[in-house]
Amino acid sequence: MSTEPEEPSPTAAPSPPGRSLEEKLESLPVRPGVYLLKDRHAKVIYVGKARSLRSRVRTYFHGGDERMQVAFLMQRVADF
Protein backbone atom coordinates (compact mmCIF):
# COMPACT_ATOMS: atom_id res chain seq x y z
CA MET A 1 0.00 0.00 0.00
CA SER A 2 1.45 3.34 -1.04
CA THR A 3 1.49 6.24 1.40
CA GLU A 4 2.30 8.81 -1.27
CA PRO A 5 -0.31 11.57 -1.58
CA GLU A 6 -2.56 11.26 -4.57
CA GLU A 7 -1.89 13.92 -7.20
CA PRO A 8 -4.84 16.14 -8.06
CA SER A 9 -6.45 15.43 -11.38
CA PRO A 10 -5.40 17.89 -14.07
CA THR A 11 -7.98 20.52 -14.96
CA ALA A 12 -7.67 23.39 -17.34
CA ALA A 13 -7.29 26.72 -15.64
CA PRO A 14 -9.74 29.44 -16.64
CA SER A 15 -8.47 32.17 -18.94
CA PRO A 16 -6.76 35.08 -17.24
CA PRO A 17 -9.17 37.75 -16.02
CA GLY A 18 -9.29 41.05 -17.81
CA ARG A 19 -9.70 39.74 -21.34
CA SER A 20 -13.15 40.36 -22.69
CA LEU A 21 -15.05 37.69 -24.55
CA GLU A 22 -14.72 39.68 -27.77
CA GLU A 23 -10.92 39.91 -27.33
CA LYS A 24 -10.73 36.17 -26.80
CA LEU A 25 -12.87 35.49 -29.87
CA GLU A 26 -10.70 37.78 -32.00
CA SER A 27 -7.54 36.02 -30.84
CA LEU A 28 -8.72 32.65 -32.17
CA PRO A 29 -7.00 31.57 -35.38
CA VAL A 30 -8.83 31.31 -38.70
CA ARG A 31 -7.56 27.78 -39.26
CA PRO A 32 -8.56 24.22 -38.39
CA GLY A 33 -8.32 23.05 -34.83
CA VAL A 34 -9.98 21.74 -31.71
CA TYR A 35 -11.74 23.87 -29.08
CA LEU A 36 -12.83 23.15 -25.51
CA LEU A 37 -15.90 24.71 -23.89
CA LYS A 38 -15.69 24.85 -20.10
CA ASP A 39 -18.16 25.41 -17.29
CA ARG A 40 -17.68 27.81 -14.36
CA HIS A 41 -15.57 25.20 -12.56
CA ALA A 42 -13.17 25.02 -15.55
CA LYS A 43 -14.45 21.52 -16.30
CA VAL A 44 -14.47 20.68 -20.00
CA ILE A 45 -18.08 20.11 -21.01
CA TYR A 46 -17.66 20.00 -24.79
CA VAL A 47 -14.87 19.27 -27.25
CA GLY A 48 -15.36 20.36 -30.83
CA LYS A 49 -13.39 20.63 -34.03
CA ALA A 50 -13.68 23.19 -36.78
CA ARG A 51 -12.22 24.20 -40.12
CA SER A 52 -12.06 27.78 -38.81
CA LEU A 53 -11.83 28.02 -35.04
CA ARG A 54 -12.72 31.72 -34.96
CA SER A 55 -15.81 31.29 -37.10
CA ARG A 56 -17.12 28.22 -35.30
CA VAL A 57 -16.66 29.46 -31.74
CA ARG A 58 -18.16 32.86 -32.66
CA THR A 59 -21.36 31.15 -33.85
CA TYR A 60 -21.86 29.80 -30.31
CA PHE A 61 -21.47 33.17 -28.62
CA HIS A 62 -23.21 35.32 -31.24
CA GLY A 63 -26.30 33.15 -31.61
CA GLY A 64 -25.60 31.72 -35.05
CA ASP A 65 -26.60 28.19 -34.04
CA GLU A 66 -30.24 27.74 -33.06
CA ARG A 67 -30.21 24.02 -32.24
CA MET A 68 -31.72 23.11 -28.86
CA GLN A 69 -28.65 21.18 -27.72
CA VAL A 70 -26.44 24.21 -28.42
CA ALA A 71 -28.73 26.48 -26.39
CA PHE A 72 -28.63 23.95 -23.53
CA LEU A 73 -24.84 23.79 -23.72
CA MET A 74 -24.34 27.56 -23.89
CA GLN A 75 -26.32 28.06 -20.66
CA ARG A 76 -23.46 26.23 -18.93
CA VAL A 77 -20.41 27.59 -20.78
CA ALA A 78 -18.24 30.05 -18.86
CA ASP A 79 -15.00 29.92 -20.86
CA PHE A 80 -13.33 28.44 -23.91
Side-chain angles (χ1 to χ4, degrees):
M1 181 171 189
S2 176
T3 58
E4 293 180 31
E6 189 175 310
E7 290 190 30
S9 62
T11 58
S15 297
R19 288 184 67 193
S20 74
L21 176 62
E22 207 51 48
E23 288 173 328
K24 291 175 70 176
L25 289 171
E26 287 300 318
S27 72
L28 290 171
V30 185
R31 59 187 164 108
V34 175
Y35 57 94
L36 309 175
L37 298 180
K38 303 171 192 171
D39 68 9
R40 62 189 172 105
H41 301 291
K43 179 181 176 187
V44 175
I45 58 174
Y46 185 78
V47 177
K49 62 182 181 175
R51 289 184 180 157
S52 169
L53 286 173
R54 183 180 301 167
S55 176
R56 182 64 188 130
V57 175
R58 286 175 69 93
T59 62
Y60 286 124
F61 290 95
H62 290 167
D65 195 327
E66 301 296 327
R67 293 177 292 170
M68 290 296 294
Q69 63 266 34
V70 172
F72 178 82
L73 176 69
M74 293 310 294
Q75 292 174 1
R76 288 152 182 78
V77 170
D79 196 12
F80 63 92

